[in-house]
Amino acid sequence: MRIPFSRAPVTFESAAPFLKEALDNGWLTTGPLTERFNAGLKKYFGTDNVVPVSSCTAALQIALAASDLKRGDEVIVPANTFIASFETVELAGLTPVLADIDPATWNLSLTALEAKISPWTKAIIAVPFAGNPLPMQALRRIAEKHGLKLILDNAHALESRYDGEPLHHYADFSCYSFYATKNLTTAEGGAIVCSTADMERVRALSLHGMSRAAWNRYSGGSWRYDILETGFKANLTDIHAAIGLTQLHTLDAYHTRRLELMARYRQGLAGLPLRFQALSEGATESDHAGHLFCISVADGAGITREDIMASFSEKSIGFSVHFIPIYEFSGVAAKHGFNPADFPATADYFQGALSLPLYPTLSEAAQDEIIALIRSRFEKIVVTRAE
Ligand SMILES: Cc1ncc(COP(=O)(O)O)c(C=O)c1O
C-alpha cells in the first residue's frame, strides 16, 4: 500500500533498546518490562487499578467473569461493534442482546438500550465507537437504576474523556486494546481498569486464577501458589511490553495530531453528501480519542462507498469498514436470528460506512491526496449528470 490504512508509530530504532533488555535478561514473558509498562499505564490512567493483559478480547472475558453473572443472564451490546464485544458474552455462557446505535454519534443509543432492558439483563457492554465518548453520566444512571454492571469496550477509547474524566471513571470494568492498529500498540495486548475492590480478582483471573504470578515466585518469592478460581491465560509478555514502552511518552502528542488530522478531513470533505460522526451531547472535540475517522456516504449521494473504495484501490490507498454489523454474520444469524429491521440506524450507517487512513505519521500531502480523490469521485458524477 502506498498510503496504508494504519501504521504503528514504532520503528526498529525506537524499540531496539527495550527489546534488547527484554531478550537479554532471559525472562521474555511477564516480568520487569511489563511492570514498567504497567507503571506508565497507571500514570496515564490516573489509577493503580490496571492489569495488563494479552488482548482486549481477553480483558472482556475477564471483566465478564469478574461480574459474577449466571448462565443465561443477558448482556446488552451495540450492533455496530467488533465481534469481540459479542462473542465474549457467548463464550461466558451469557445471552448477548443487540441494541441499535444513535444515528448521529454511531454509539449505542441510550433509548435503544433502555428498550432492551429486561428482568434478565445484568450487564451492558458499551463501545465508545472510533473514540467518541458516550454520554457517560446518563449511561451510568441507566446502569445504576437497573442494577447492571457497566463494562466499557474501550478498544478505541484510550484517550477518550467525558466531563473532564477518563471514561474508566464511570465504569465497573474498562477494557483496552493494544492491537497493532490501536492508538497505543504492543502488537497484541490490552489492559483492564477496574475498581479497587475488583483489582486482585481481575489480576488473578488474568493468569489461571493464581494467587501469585510466576514472576513474583521466580524473583525470590515462595514457590507455593493457590488457584483461587478458574481463570484465563491472558498475561502480557515483556516482549510486547517492550514495544509499548516506545510510545508512552508520545501519547499526548499523537492524540493531538490525530485530532488535527480529523479536523483537516472534516474541513477538506465539507459540502459533500457524506455524514460524519457527531460528538455525544456534553462532549468536546478533545474528548474524542481520534482512533478512527469514519464517514458514511449518504443514501442517494450519487455514488456509493464501493465507488470510493475502487478509487482507493486503484491508487493503492488503504481503507477499512467499521463495522460489519454483528447481525450480518452468518454464524450469528443462524444462532440468534436477529431481525436486521430492528437496527435501522446501524443499517443506515453501514450501507455507506468507510474508514479513512488516520495515524500520527500520516502526512498532510497524503491526506490531501485522499481528500482530493474523494472530491474528484463526486465531481465526476456532477460532470456526468451535466453532460
Ligand atoms: C471495538 C473493539 N473491541 C474489541 C476489539 C478486540 O481487541 P483485541 O484485538 O485487542 O482483542 C477490537 C479490535 O479491533 C475492537 O475494535
Side-chain angles (χ1 to χ4, degrees):
M1 274 295 152
R2 210 166 43 79
I3 306 176
F5 171 68
S6 168
R7 196 171 199 315
V10 187
T11 59
F12 176 75
E13 285 71 28
S14 68
F18 297 108
L19 283 171
K20 180 169 175 14
E21 193 181 334
L23 292 167
D24 282 354
N25 76 22
W27 181 250
L28 307 189
T29 186
T30 311
L33 279 97
T34 310
E35 267 180 27
R36 214 183 313 154
F37 179 57
N38 199 27
L41 291 179
K42 288 176 181 178
K43 198 163 160 218
Y44 186 76
F45 287 126
T47 171
D48 279 345
N49 301 335
V50 186
V51 177
V53 289
S54 53
S55 67
C56 182
T57 306
L60 288 163
Q61 289 185 283
I62 293 165
L64 287 163
S67 292
D68 281 327
L69 307 179
K70 294 190 311 300
R71 185 159 283 274
D73 283 349
E74 291 180 358
V75 181
I76 298 178
V77 179
N80 178 40
T81 186
F82 184 60
I83 192 66
S85 345
F86 184 90
E87 78 190 342
T88 48
V89 176
E90 287 202 308
L91 287 169
L94 307 165
T95 302
V97 172
L98 285 185
D100 203 5
I101 57 170
D102 179 278
T105 66
W106 303 338
N107 275 333
L108 176 66
S109 148
L110 298 195
T111 314
L113 164 69
E114 285 205 279
K116 295 280 173 146
I117 294 174
S118 80
W120 300 279
T121 310
K122 292 292 179 291
I124 304 163
I125 296 183
V127 184
F129 175 65
N132 194 18
L134 289 97
M136 293 307 300
Q137 278 124 348
L139 178 61
R140 180 82 232 164
R141 266 197 304 277
I142 294 172
E144 278 172 6
K145 181 172 156 201
H146 298 275
L148 312 178
K149 290 282 182 191
L150 180 55
I151 298 172
L152 289 179
D153 176 342
N154 272 349
H156 301 179
L158 180 74
E159 304 93 337
S160 305
R161 299 178 80 81
Y162 190 78
D163 200 18
E165 300 289 348
L167 297 196
H168 68 76
H169 173 84
Y170 301 93
D172 295 298
F173 300 95
S174 298
C175 303
Y176 294 85
S177 174
F178 306 139
Y179 177 66
T181 58
K182 297 299 188 273
N183 289 17
L184 164 61
T185 183
T186 57
E188 298 283 355
I192 309 180
V193 179
C194 60
S195 68
T196 306
D198 287 318
M199 182 58 195
E200 261 322 289
R201 188 164 183 208
V202 164
R203 192 206 51 71
L205 279 168
S206 76
L207 196 70
H208 305 292
M210 270 180 197
S211 56
R212 299 157 57 76
W215 171 246
N216 301 115
R217 285 184 274 120
Y218 288 109
S219 59
S222 157
W223 57 271
R224 184 113 205 171
Y225 61 87
D226 187 21
I227 298 297
L228 305 170
E229 65 179 312
T230 305
F232 301 86
K233 174 71 168 108
N235 51 307
L236 188 76
T237 77
D238 269 16
I239 302 289
H240 292 92
I243 296 170
L245 279 164
T246 62
Q247 298 149 69
L248 288 177
H249 65 289
T250 56
L251 288 180
D252 289 341
Y254 283 174
H255 177 222
T256 303
R257 187 61 188 146
R258 283 173 174 276
L259 295 180
E260 285 167 0
L261 290 169
M262 282 177 63
R264 285 189 95 251
Y265 267 135
R266 273 196 302 271
Q267 217 169 25
L269 297 171
L272 296 175
L274 297 172
R275 284 181 294 155
F276 302 113
Q277 185 178 36
L279 286 169
S280 295
E281 203 181 323
T284 62
E285 267 174 34
S286 61
D287 289 337
H288 198 292
H291 175 54
L292 297 173
F293 188 79
C294 307
I295 57 174
S296 185
V297 181
D299 208 8
I303 65 166
T304 63
R305 57 124 187 249
E306 280 74 13
D307 293 324
I308 300 178
M309 287 171 170
S311 301
F312 275 36
S313 297
E314 212 175 281
K315 299 276 183 203
S316 203
I317 297 172
F319 60 84
S320 190
V321 172
H322 298 87
F323 286 102
I324 300 170
I326 298 292
Y327 57 77
E328 288 256 338
F329 296 118
S330 61
V332 172
K335 195 161 166 193
H336 295 275
F338 292 119
N339 180 2
D342 288 343
F343 312 98
T346 303
D348 186 41
Y349 160 71
F350 173 63
Q351 62 75 34
L354 183 66
S355 305
L356 307 182
L358 180 69
Y359 37 96
T361 54
L362 178 70
S363 70
E364 292 190 0
Q367 191 185 32
D368 288 344
E369 187 183 331
I370 294 165
I371 292 167
L373 190 61
I374 297 174
R375 293 206 83 90
S376 73
R377 206 69 192 71
F378 280 101
E379 276 151 21
K380 256 191 219 164
I381 304 294
V382 177
V383 172
T384 315
R385 276 190 188 150
E387 282 164 357

